[in-house]
Amino acid sequence: MKNAGNRWRSLGALATVLREPLLHFLVVGVALFLLYWAVNGDASVAPQVIVVSAARVEVLAESFATTWMRPPTPAEIQGLVDDYVVEEVYSREAIALGLDRDDTVIRRRLRQKMEFVSDDLAAAAEPTEAQLQAYLARHADQFARPPQVAFRQVYFSTDRRGDTARRDAEQLLADLRAGRAPADLGEAGDASLLPRAMRDAAPQEIQNAFGADFAAALAAAPVGPWAGPLQSDFGLHLVQVQRRAAGAAPALADVRPAVLREWQAEQRRQSKQAFLAALRGKYEIRIEGPAGARIESDGSTAVRPEGTAGR
């Protein structure tokens, strides 16, 4: 009985030890060490050197000053350097252990950095005036000034007036054409939140305010006399087109900032495509399974399914 009691006490003590967090930490530490040794080989190799350059210290200090709106103290600089060294150590060890592999977040971040490299290559180029002029000529529709219209309108609500809305509008139209305009033209129609007049409005602006049907009918209205009634999304309108200005292709000087911005965007796209094509050329890409067969049947040459390389 005494021996049995001792065994039970020993087992209880062992269970207590097994539950200790320190033991768990040691086990994990040993496992990581063994994994590191398996990946990196002999641990007796001299450790890698971590150099914290003066430029790096300056970057750390500037980042601190930007955040806290004051320069760091010497003690804070020491803390920044220590934190950078810890980050560098952990980063290198994590990469050595392969912890960066198959991590979606890290893969996306690396892709983003490579795309930044491609963008930097394109940003280094400055266009000549001839290049911008040629780009403007190729994309004239994109930068052309749209036609503009100045007009005023009188609104008749079909919701409020019902069947009399059109009759009332036609009666006012006859009075206006006969020179019998009311003292207050705004009081002749119905109140609304619609603009009573628009100056030098583009077709899209008119369509946004009154609807596509009204914009199309207004485009056909004559300049000068009152016309209508024109149907909109809200009711009927009498309109007087006061002037029209035809669309025109602008000179480069008038739209240079916009042309430069679009030219640079196109250069970035082309540079990114060329950069990616050059990188992909270094790899043989194979896609296995049904997806690979489907891509092959589509005739894609960007990637080749498993077993079809070199065809």
Side-chain angles (χ1 to χ4, degrees):
M1 293 294 292
K2 184 177 180 180
N3 291 336
N6 289 337
R7 283 197 299 271
W8 280 111
R9 281 193 296 272
S10 298
L11 290 174
L14 179 60
T16 300
V17 171
L18 291 175
R19 288 195 297 267
E20 283 293 326
L22 178 60
L23 178 62
H24 299 169
F25 176 80
L26 291 174
V27 171
V28 172
V30 171
L32 287 175
F33 174 79
L34 293 175
L35 178 61
Y36 178 84
W37 184 86
V39 173
N40 293 279
D42 189 358
S44 64
V45 177
Q48 294 177 319
V49 177
I50 295 178
V51 177
V52 185
S53 65
R56 172 60 63 183
V57 175
E58 184 176 348
V59 169
L60 295 172
E62 289 179 354
S63 178
F64 180 96
T66 300
T67 302
W68 299 102
M69 304 300 291
R70 64 174 179 82
T73 65
E76 287 169 334
I77 290 179
Q78 181 62 52
L80 294 171
V81 172
D82 289 343
D83 188 65
Y84 173 79
V85 171
V86 170
E87 182 180 272
E88 186 68 17
V89 169
Y90 275 132
S91 298
R92 293 188 184 188
E93 294 303 309
I95 292 173
L97 292 172
L99 301 183
D100 58 318
R101 299 169 192 163
D102 298 324
D103 188 305
T104 302
V105 175
I106 293 177
R107 287 167 60 88
R108 287 176 180 172
R109 182 59 177 159
L110 292 175
R111 172 182 174 173
Q112 186 181 51
K113 284 197 169 188
M114 289 300 293
E115 289 177 344
F116 287 159
V117 172
S118 174
D119 289 343
D120 289 341
L121 294 174
E126 282 294 329
T128 64
E129 292 300 301
Q131 287 175 312
L132 291 181
Q133 186 64 58
Y135 184 88
L136 176 59
R138 291 196 307 271
H139 303 85
D141 293 343
Q142 182 178 347
F143 300 98
R145 185 185 66 198
Q148 296 177 327
V149 181
F151 70 96
R152 55 178 177 164
Q153 61 90 21
V154 180
Y155 169 64
F156 292 84
S157 172
T158 51
D159 290 338
R160 299 175 196 170
R161 297 179 184 245
D163 295 337
T164 67
R166 180 169 295 277
R167 185 186 62 202
D168 295 342
E170 291 175 347
Q171 179 59 56
L172 178 59
L173 178 62
D175 291 341
L176 291 171
R177 288 178 172 176
R180 299 190 299 269
D184 187 348
L185 190 59
E187 295 294 331
D190 295 318
S192 76
L193 297 178
L194 296 169
R196 292 185 177 180
M198 297 186 76
R199 295 182 178 277
D200 300 326
Q204 189 60 53
E205 295 176 87
I206 300 170
Q207 180 172 326
N208 291 344
F210 293 90
D213 292 339
F214 178 91
L218 183 68
V223 177
W226 283 90
L230 305 186
Q231 182 75 48
S232 78
D233 294 343
F234 310 97
L236 299 174
H237 307 260
L238 299 183
V239 298
Q240 183 186 38
V241 176
Q242 296 163 312
R243 64 178 175 275
R244 295 185 190 275
L252 177 59
D254 296 333
V255 291
R256 191 181 190 283
V259 174
L260 175 60
R261 182 175 61 250
E262 294 302 320
W263 182 89
Q264 290 173 333
E266 182 178 89
Q267 295 304 303
R268 284 194 296 270
R269 288 192 296 270
Q270 293 178 354
S271 176
K272 183 176 294 184
Q273 291 172 356
F275 185 62
L276 177 58
L279 293 178
R280 290 186 67 153
K282 298 166 59 178
Y283 299 88
E284 177 184 347
I285 301 172
R286 299 177 179 176
I287 301 177
E288 300 176 343
R294 186 165 54 252
I295 291 174
E296 182 182 26
S297 66
D298 291 341
S300 171
T301 57
V303 294
R304 292 185 180 275
E306 178 67 28
T308 65
R311 287 186 185 176

Coordinates of all heavy atoms in Angstrom, one line a residue, residues 152-235:
R152 N -32.9 78.5 -69.9 CA -33.8 78.6 -68.8 C -35.1 77.8 -69.0 O -35.4 77.5 -70.2 CB -34.1 80.1 -68.5 CG -34.7 80.8 -69.6 CD -35.0 82.3 -69.2 NE -35.5 83.1 -70.2 CZ -36.1 84.3 -70.0 NH1 -36.3 84.7 -68.8 NH2 -36.5 85.0 -71.1
Q153 N -35.8 77.5 -68.0 CA -37.0 76.6 -68.1 C -38.0 77.0 -67.1 O -37.8 77.5 -66.1 CB -36.5 75.1 -68.0 CG -36.0 74.8 -66.6 CD -37.0 74.3 -65.6 OE1 -38.1 73.9 -66.0 NE2 -36.7 74.4 -64.3
V154 N -39.3 76.6 -67.5 CA -40.4 76.8 -66.6 C -41.0 75.4 -66.5 O -41.3 74.7 -67.5 CB -41.5 77.8 -67.2 CG1 -42.7 77.9 -66.2 CG2 -40.9 79.1 -67.5
Y155 N -41.3 75.0 -65.2 CA -41.7 73.6 -64.9 C -43.2 73.5 -64.6 O -43.7 74.4 -63.9 CB -40.9 73.2 -63.7 CG -41.3 71.9 -63.1 CD1 -41.3 70.7 -63.7 CD2 -41.8 71.9 -61.8 CE1 -41.7 69.5 -63.2 CE2 -42.2 70.7 -61.2 CZ -42.2 69.5 -61.9 OH -42.6 68.4 -61.3
F156 N -43.8 72.5 -65.1 CA -45.2 72.2 -64.9 C -45.2 70.7 -64.3 O -44.9 69.8 -65.0 CB -46.0 72.3 -66.2 CG -46.2 73.7 -66.6 CD1 -45.2 74.3 -67.4 CD2 -47.2 74.5 -66.3 CE1 -45.3 75.6 -67.9 CE2 -47.4 75.8 -66.7 CZ -46.4 76.4 -67.5
S157 N -45.7 70.6 -63.1 CA -45.8 69.3 -62.5 C -47.0 68.5 -63.0 O -48.2 68.9 -62.8 CB -45.9 69.5 -61.0 OG -46.1 68.2 -60.3
T158 N -46.8 67.3 -63.5 CA -47.9 66.5 -63.9 C -48.5 65.8 -62.7 O -49.7 65.4 -62.8 CB -47.4 65.4 -64.9 OG1 -46.3 64.7 -64.4 CG2 -47.0 66.0 -66.3
D159 N -47.8 65.7 -61.7 CA -48.4 65.1 -60.4 C -49.4 66.1 -59.8 O -50.4 65.6 -59.3 CB -47.3 64.8 -59.4 CG -46.4 63.7 -59.8 OD1 -46.9 62.8 -60.6 OD2 -45.2 63.6 -59.4
R160 N -49.1 67.4 -59.8 CA -50.0 68.3 -59.2 C -51.1 68.7 -60.1 O -52.3 68.9 -59.7 CB -49.2 69.6 -58.8 CG -48.1 69.4 -57.8 CD -47.3 70.6 -57.6 NE -46.0 70.3 -56.9 CZ -45.0 71.2 -56.7 NH1 -45.2 72.5 -57.2 NH2 -43.9 70.9 -56.1
R161 N -50.8 68.9 -61.4 CA -51.8 69.4 -62.4 C -52.6 68.4 -63.1 O -53.6 68.6 -63.7 CB -51.2 70.4 -63.4 CG -50.5 71.6 -62.7 CD -49.9 72.5 -63.8 NE -49.2 73.6 -63.2 CZ -49.5 74.9 -63.3 NH1 -50.6 75.2 -64.1 NH2 -48.8 75.9 -62.7
G162 N -52.0 67.2 -63.1 CA -52.7 66.1 -63.8 C -52.8 66.4 -65.3 O -51.8 66.8 -66.0
D163 N -54.0 66.1 -65.9 CA -54.2 66.3 -67.3 C -54.1 67.7 -67.8 O -53.9 68.0 -69.0 CB -55.6 65.7 -67.7 CG -55.7 64.2 -67.5 OD1 -54.6 63.6 -67.4 OD2 -56.8 63.7 -67.3
T164 N -54.2 68.7 -66.9 CA -54.2 70.1 -67.3 C -52.7 70.6 -67.4 O -52.5 71.7 -67.9 CB -54.9 71.0 -66.2 OG1 -54.2 71.0 -65.0 CG2 -56.3 70.5 -66.0
A165 N -51.7 69.8 -67.0 CA -50.3 70.3 -67.1 C -49.9 70.7 -68.5 O -49.4 71.7 -68.7 CB -49.4 69.2 -66.5
R166 N -50.2 69.8 -69.5 CA -49.8 70.1 -70.8 C -50.6 71.3 -71.4 O -50.0 72.1 -72.1 CB -50.0 68.8 -71.7 CG -49.6 69.1 -73.2 CD -49.6 67.8 -73.9 NE -48.6 66.9 -73.4 CZ -47.3 66.9 -73.8 NH1 -46.9 67.9 -74.7 NH2 -46.4 66.1 -73.4
R167 N -51.9 71.3 -71.1 CA -52.7 72.5 -71.6 C -52.2 73.8 -71.0 O -52.0 74.8 -71.7 CB -54.1 72.3 -71.2 CG -55.1 73.3 -71.8 CD -56.5 73.1 -71.2 NE -56.5 73.3 -69.8 CZ -57.4 72.8 -69.0 NH1 -58.4 72.1 -69.5 NH2 -57.4 73.0 -67.7
D168 N -51.8 73.8 -69.7 CA -51.3 75.0 -69.1 C -50.0 75.4 -69.7 O -49.7 76.6 -69.9 CB -51.2 74.8 -67.6 CG -52.5 74.6 -66.9 OD1 -53.5 74.9 -67.5 OD2 -52.5 74.1 -65.8
A169 N -49.1 74.4 -70.0 CA -47.8 74.7 -70.5 C -48.0 75.3 -72.0 O -47.3 76.2 -72.3 CB -47.0 73.4 -70.6
E170 N -48.8 74.7 -72.7 CA -49.0 75.2 -74.1 C -49.6 76.6 -74.1 O -49.3 77.4 -75.0 CB -49.9 74.2 -74.9 CG -49.2 72.9 -75.1 CD -50.1 71.8 -75.8 OE1 -51.4 72.1 -75.8 OE2 -49.7 70.8 -76.3
Q171 N -50.5 76.9 -73.2 CA -51.1 78.2 -73.1 C -50.0 79.3 -72.8 O -49.9 80.3 -73.4 CB -52.1 78.3 -72.0 CG -52.8 79.6 -71.8 CD -53.5 80.2 -73.1 OE1 -54.3 79.5 -73.7 NE2 -53.1 81.3 -73.6
L172 N -49.1 78.9 -71.8 CA -48.0 79.9 -71.5 C -47.1 80.0 -72.7 O -46.6 81.1 -72.9 CB -47.2 79.4 -70.2 CG -46.0 80.2 -69.8 CD1 -46.5 81.7 -69.5 CD2 -45.3 79.6 -68.6
L173 N -46.8 78.9 -73.4 CA -45.9 79.0 -74.5 C -46.5 79.9 -75.6 O -45.8 80.7 -76.2 CB -45.7 77.6 -75.1 CG -44.9 77.5 -76.4 CD1 -43.5 77.9 -76.1 CD2 -44.9 76.0 -77.0
A174 N -47.8 79.9 -75.8 CA -48.4 80.8 -76.8 C -48.3 82.2 -76.3 O -48.0 83.1 -77.2 CB -49.9 80.4 -77.0
D175 N -48.5 82.5 -75.0 CA -48.3 83.8 -74.5 C -46.9 84.3 -74.7 O -46.6 85.5 -75.1 CB -48.7 83.9 -73.0 CG -50.2 83.7 -72.8 OD1 -51.0 83.8 -73.8 OD2 -50.6 83.3 -71.7
L176 N -45.9 83.5 -74.4 CA -44.5 83.9 -74.5 C -44.1 84.2 -76.0 O -43.4 85.2 -76.3 CB -43.6 82.8 -74.0 CG -43.6 82.5 -72.5 CD1 -42.9 81.3 -72.1 CD2 -43.1 83.7 -71.7
R177 N -44.6 83.4 -76.9 CA -44.3 83.6 -78.3 C -45.0 84.8 -78.8 O -44.5 85.5 -79.8 CB -44.7 82.4 -79.1 CG -43.7 81.2 -78.9 CD -44.2 80.0 -79.7 NE -43.2 78.9 -79.6 CZ -43.4 77.7 -80.2 NH1 -44.5 77.4 -80.8 NH2 -42.4 76.8 -80.1
A178 N -46.1 85.2 -78.2 CA -46.8 86.4 -78.6 C -46.4 87.6 -77.9 O -46.9 88.7 -78.1 CB -48.3 86.2 -78.4
G179 N -45.3 87.5 -77.1 CA -44.8 88.7 -76.4 C -45.6 89.0 -75.1 O -45.4 90.1 -74.6
R180 N -46.4 88.1 -74.6 CA -47.2 88.4 -73.4 C -46.6 87.6 -72.2 O -47.3 86.9 -71.5 CB -48.7 88.0 -73.6 CG -49.3 88.7 -74.8 CD -50.8 88.5 -74.8 NE -51.1 87.1 -75.0 CZ -51.3 86.5 -76.1 NH1 -51.2 87.2 -77.2 NH2 -51.6 85.2 -76.2
A181 N -45.4 87.8 -72.0 CA -44.7 87.1 -70.9 C -45.2 87.7 -69.5 O -45.4 88.9 -69.4 CB -43.2 87.3 -70.9
P182 N -45.5 86.9 -68.5 CA -45.9 87.3 -67.2 C -44.8 88.1 -66.6 O -43.6 88.0 -66.9 CB -46.2 86.0 -66.5 CG -45.4 85.0 -67.2 CD -45.3 85.4 -68.6
A183 N -45.2 89.0 -65.6 CA -44.2 89.8 -64.9 C -43.2 89.0 -64.2 O -42.0 89.3 -64.2 CB -45.0 90.7 -63.9
D184 N -43.6 87.9 -63.6 CA -42.7 87.0 -62.9 C -42.8 85.6 -63.5 O -43.8 84.9 -63.3 CB -43.0 86.9 -61.4 CG -42.0 86.1 -60.6 OD1 -41.1 85.4 -61.3 OD2 -42.0 86.1 -59.4
L185 N -41.9 85.3 -64.4 CA -41.9 84.0 -65.1 C -41.9 82.8 -64.2 O -42.5 81.8 -64.5 CB -40.8 83.9 -66.2 CG -40.9 82.8 -67.2 CD1 -42.1 82.9 -68.0 CD2 -39.6 82.9 -68.1
G186 N -41.2 82.9 -63.1 CA -41.1 81.8 -62.2 C -42.4 81.5 -61.5 O -42.6 80.3 -61.2
E187 N -43.3 82.5 -61.4 CA -44.6 82.2 -60.8 C -45.5 81.5 -61.8 O -46.6 81.0 -61.3 CB -45.2 83.5 -60.3 CG -44.4 84.2 -59.2 CD -44.4 83.3 -57.9 OE1 -45.4 82.6 -57.7 OE2 -43.4 83.4 -57.1
A188 N -45.2 81.5 -63.0 CA -46.1 81.0 -64.0 C -46.1 79.4 -64.0 O -47.1 78.8 -64.3 CB -45.7 81.4 -65.4
G189 N -45.1 78.8 -63.5 CA -45.0 77.4 -63.4 C -45.1 76.9 -62.0 O -45.7 77.6 -61.1
D190 N -44.6 75.7 -61.7 CA -44.7 75.1 -60.4 C -43.3 75.2 -59.7 O -42.3 75.0 -60.4 CB -45.2 73.7 -60.5 CG -46.6 73.6 -61.0 OD1 -47.4 74.4 -60.5 OD2 -46.9 72.7 -61.8
A191 N -43.3 75.3 -58.4 CA -42.1 75.3 -57.7 C -41.4 73.9 -57.7 O -42.1 72.9 -57.6 CB -42.3 75.8 -56.2
S192 N -40.1 73.9 -57.7 CA -39.4 72.6 -57.6 C -38.0 72.9 -57.2 O -37.5 74.0 -57.2 CB -39.4 71.9 -59.0 OG -38.6 72.5 -59.9
L193 N -37.2 71.8 -57.0 CA -35.8 71.9 -56.7 C -34.9 71.9 -57.9 O -33.7 72.0 -57.8 CB -35.4 70.8 -55.8 CG -36.0 70.7 -54.4 CD1 -35.6 69.5 -53.6 CD2 -35.8 72.0 -53.6
L194 N -35.6 71.8 -59.1 CA -34.8 71.8 -60.3 C -34.3 73.2 -60.6 O -34.9 74.2 -60.3 CB -35.7 71.4 -61.5 CG -36.2 69.9 -61.4 CD1 -37.3 69.7 -62.5 CD2 -35.1 69.0 -61.6
P195 N -33.1 73.3 -61.2 CA -32.6 74.7 -61.6 C -33.5 75.4 -62.6 O -33.9 74.7 -63.6 CB -31.2 74.4 -62.1 CG -31.2 73.0 -62.6 CD -32.2 72.3 -61.7
R196 N -33.8 76.6 -62.4 CA -34.5 77.4 -63.3 C -33.7 77.7 -64.6 O -34.3 78.0 -65.6 CB -35.1 78.7 -62.7 CG -36.1 78.4 -61.6 CD -36.7 79.7 -61.1 NE -37.8 79.5 -60.1 CZ -38.5 80.4 -59.5 NH1 -38.2 81.7 -59.9 NH2 -39.4 80.1 -58.7
A197 N -32.4 77.8 -64.4 CA -31.5 78.1 -65.5 C -30.2 77.4 -65.3 O -29.8 77.1 -64.2 CB -31.3 79.6 -65.6
M198 N -29.6 77.0 -66.4 CA -28.2 76.5 -66.4 C -27.4 77.2 -67.4 O -27.8 77.5 -68.5 CB -28.2 75.0 -66.7 CG -29.0 74.1 -65.7 SD -28.9 72.3 -66.0 CE -27.2 72.0 -65.3
R199 N -26.1 77.6 -67.0 CA -25.2 78.3 -67.8 C -24.1 77.4 -68.3 O -23.4 76.8 -67.5 CB -24.7 79.5 -67.1 CG -25.7 80.6 -66.7 CD -25.1 81.8 -66.0 NE -26.1 82.8 -65.7 CZ -26.6 83.7 -66.6 NH1 -26.1 83.7 -67.8 NH2 -27.5 84.6 -66.2
D200 N -23.9 77.4 -69.6 CA -22.8 76.6 -70.2 C -22.7 75.2 -69.6 O -21.7 74.7 -69.1 CB -21.5 77.3 -70.0 CG -21.5 78.7 -70.6 OD1 -22.2 78.9 -71.7 OD2 -20.9 79.6 -70.0
A201 N -23.8 74.5 -69.6 CA -23.9 73.2 -69.0 C -23.6 72.1 -70.1 O -24.0 72.2 -71.3 CB -25.3 72.9 -68.5
A202 N -22.8 71.1 -69.7 CA -22.5 70.0 -70.6 C -23.7 69.0 -70.7 O -24.5 69.0 -69.7 CB -21.3 69.3 -70.1
P203 N -23.8 68.2 -71.7 CA -24.9 67.3 -71.8 C -25.1 66.4 -70.6 O -26.2 66.1 -70.2 CB -24.6 66.5 -73.1 CG -23.8 67.4 -73.9 CD -23.0 68.2 -73.0
Q204 N -24.0 65.9 -70.1 CA -24.1 65.0 -68.9 C -24.6 65.7 -67.7 O -25.4 65.2 -66.9 CB -22.7 64.5 -68.6 CG -22.7 63.3 -67.5 CD -23.6 62.2 -68.0 OE1 -23.4 61.6 -69.1 NE2 -24.5 61.8 -67.1
E205 N -24.3 67.0 -67.5 CA -24.8 67.8 -66.4 C -26.3 67.9 -66.5 O -27.1 67.8 -65.6 CB -24.2 69.2 -66.3 CG -22.7 69.1 -66.0 CD -22.1 70.6 -66.1 OE1 -22.2 71.2 -65.0 OE2 -21.7 71.0 -67.1
I206 N -26.8 68.2 -67.8 CA -28.2 68.4 -68.0 C -28.9 67.0 -67.8 O -30.0 67.0 -67.1 CB -28.5 68.9 -69.4 CG1 -27.8 70.2 -69.6 CG2 -29.9 69.0 -69.7 CD1 -27.8 70.7 -71.1
Q207 N -28.3 66.0 -68.2 CA -29.0 64.7 -68.1 C -29.0 64.3 -66.6 O -30.0 63.7 -66.1 CB -28.2 63.6 -68.8 CG -28.7 62.2 -68.7 CD -28.0 61.2 -69.6 OE1 -27.6 61.5 -70.7 NE2 -27.9 60.0 -69.1
N208 N -28.0 64.6 -65.8 CA -28.0 64.3 -64.4 C -29.1 65.1 -63.7 O -29.7 64.6 -62.7 CB -26.7 64.7 -63.8 CG -25.5 63.8 -64.3 OD1 -25.8 62.7 -64.8 ND2 -24.3 64.2 -64.1
A209 N -29.4 66.3 -64.1 CA -30.4 67.1 -63.4 C -31.8 66.8 -63.9 O -32.8 66.7 -63.1 CB -30.1 68.6 -63.7
F210 N -32.0 66.6 -65.2 CA -33.4 66.5 -65.7 C -33.7 65.1 -66.3 O -34.9 64.8 -66.6 CB -33.6 67.5 -66.8 CG -33.6 68.9 -66.3 CD1 -32.5 69.7 -66.3 CD2 -34.8 69.5 -65.9 CE1 -32.4 71.0 -65.8 CE2 -34.8 70.9 -65.4 CZ -33.6 71.6 -65.4
G211 N -32.7 64.3 -66.6 CA -33.0 63.0 -67.2 C -32.6 62.9 -68.7 O -32.4 64.0 -69.3
A212 N -32.4 61.7 -69.2 CA -31.9 61.6 -70.6 C -32.9 62.1 -71.6 O -32.5 62.7 -72.6 CB -31.6 60.1 -70.8
D213 N -34.2 61.9 -71.4 CA -35.2 62.3 -72.4 C -35.2 63.8 -72.6 O -35.2 64.3 -73.7 CB -36.6 61.8 -72.0 CG -36.7 60.3 -72.1 OD1 -35.9 59.7 -72.8 OD2 -37.6 59.8 -71.5
F214 N -35.1 64.5 -71.5 CA -35.1 66.0 -71.5 C -33.8 66.5 -72.2 O -33.8 67.4 -73.0 CB -35.2 66.5 -70.1 CG -35.1 68.0 -70.0 CD1 -36.3 68.8 -70.1 CD2 -33.9 68.7 -69.9 CE1 -36.2 70.2 -70.1 CE2 -33.8 70.1 -69.9 CZ -35.0 70.8 -69.9
A215 N -32.7 65.9 -71.8 CA -31.4 66.3 -72.4 C -31.4 66.1 -73.9 O -30.9 67.0 -74.7 CB -30.2 65.5 -71.8
A216 N -32.0 65.0 -74.4 CA -32.0 64.7 -75.9 C -32.9 65.7 -76.6 O -32.6 66.2 -77.6 CB -32.5 63.3 -76.1
A217 N -34.1 66.0 -76.0 CA -35.0 67.0 -76.6 C -34.4 68.4 -76.5 O -34.6 69.2 -77.5 CB -36.3 67.0 -75.8
L218 N -33.7 68.7 -75.5 CA -33.1 70.1 -75.4 C -32.0 70.3 -76.5 O -31.9 71.4 -77.0 CB -32.5 70.3 -74.0 CG -31.9 71.7 -73.8 CD1 -33.0 72.7 -73.7 CD2 -31.1 71.7 -72.5
A219 N -31.3 69.2 -76.8 CA -30.3 69.3 -77.8 C -30.9 69.6 -79.2 O -30.2 70.2 -80.0 CB -29.5 68.0 -77.9
A220 N -32.1 69.3 -79.4 CA -32.8 69.6 -80.7 C -33.5 71.0 -80.7 O -34.1 71.4 -81.7 CB -33.7 68.5 -81.1
A221 N -33.7 71.6 -79.5 CA -34.4 72.9 -79.4 C -33.7 74.0 -80.1 O -32.4 74.1 -80.0 CB -34.7 73.2 -77.9
P222 N -34.4 74.9 -80.7 CA -33.7 76.1 -81.4 C -33.2 77.1 -80.3 O -33.6 77.1 -79.2 CB -34.8 76.7 -82.2 CG -36.1 76.3 -81.4 CD -35.8 75.0 -80.8
V223 N -32.2 77.9 -80.8 CA -31.7 78.9 -80.0 C -32.5 80.2 -80.1 O -32.8 80.6 -81.2 CB -30.2 79.2 -80.4 CG1 -29.7 80.4 -79.5 CG2 -29.3 78.0 -80.2
G224 N -33.0 80.8 -79.0 CA -33.7 82.0 -79.1 C -35.2 81.9 -78.6 O -35.5 82.3 -77.5
P225 N -36.1 81.3 -79.4 CA -37.5 81.3 -79.1 C -37.8 80.2 -78.0 O -37.0 79.2 -77.8 CB -38.2 80.9 -80.4 CG -37.1 80.1 -81.2 CD -35.8 80.7 -80.8
W226 N -38.9 80.4 -77.3 CA -39.3 79.4 -76.3 C -39.8 78.2 -77.1 O -40.4 78.3 -78.2 CB -40.4 80.0 -75.5 CG -39.9 80.9 -74.4 CD1 -39.7 82.3 -74.5 CD2 -39.5 80.5 -73.1 NE1 -39.2 82.8 -73.3 CE2 -39.0 81.7 -72.4 CE3 -39.4 79.3 -72.4 CZ2 -38.6 81.7 -71.1 CZ3 -39.0 79.3 -71.1 CH2 -38.6 80.5 -70.4
A227 N -39.6 77.0 -76.5 CA -40.0 75.8 -77.1 C -40.6 74.8 -76.0 O -40.4 75.0 -74.9 CB -38.8 75.1 -77.8
G228 N -41.2 73.8 -76.5 CA -41.8 72.8 -75.6 C -43.2 72.5 -75.9 O -43.7 72.8 -76.9
P229 N -43.9 71.8 -74.9 CA -43.3 71.4 -73.7 C -42.4 70.1 -73.9 O -42.7 69.3 -74.7 CB -44.6 71.0 -72.9 CG -45.7 71.4 -73.6 CD -45.3 71.6 -75.0
L230 N -41.3 70.1 -73.1 CA -40.4 69.0 -73.2 C -40.6 68.1 -71.9 O -40.9 68.6 -70.8 CB -38.9 69.4 -73.1 CG -38.5 70.5 -74.2 CD1 -37.0 70.7 -74.1 CD2 -38.9 70.0 -75.6
Q231 N -40.6 66.8 -72.2 CA -40.9 65.9 -71.1 C -39.6 65.5 -70.4 O -38.5 65.4 -71.0 CB -41.4 64.5 -71.7 CG -41.8 63.5 -70.6 CD -43.1 63.8 -69.8 OE1 -44.1 64.1 -70.5 NE2 -43.0 63.8 -68.5
S232 N -39.6 65.5 -69.0 CA -38.5 65.1 -68.2 C -39.0 64.0 -67.3 O -40.1 63.6 -67.3 CB -37.9 66.3 -67.4 OG -38.8 66.6 -66.3
D233 N -38.1 63.6 -66.4 CA -38.4 62.6 -65.4 C -39.4 63.1 -64.4 O -39.9 62.4 -63.6 CB -37.1 62.1 -64.7 CG -36.2 61.3 -65.6 OD1 -36.7 60.9 -66.7 OD2 -35.0 61.1 -65.3
F234 N -39.6 64.5 -64.4 CA -40.4 65.1 -63.3 C -41.7 65.7 -63.8 O -42.6 66.0 -63.0 CB -39.5 66.2 -62.6 CG -38.2 65.7 -62.2 CD1 -37.1 65.9 -63.0 CD2 -38.0 65.0 -61.1 CE1 -35.8 65.5 -62.7 CE2 -36.7 64.5 -60.7 CZ -35.6 64.8 -61.5
G235 N -41.8 66.0 -65.1 CA -43.0 66.6 -65.6 C -42.7 67.2 -67.0 O -42.0 66.7 -67.8

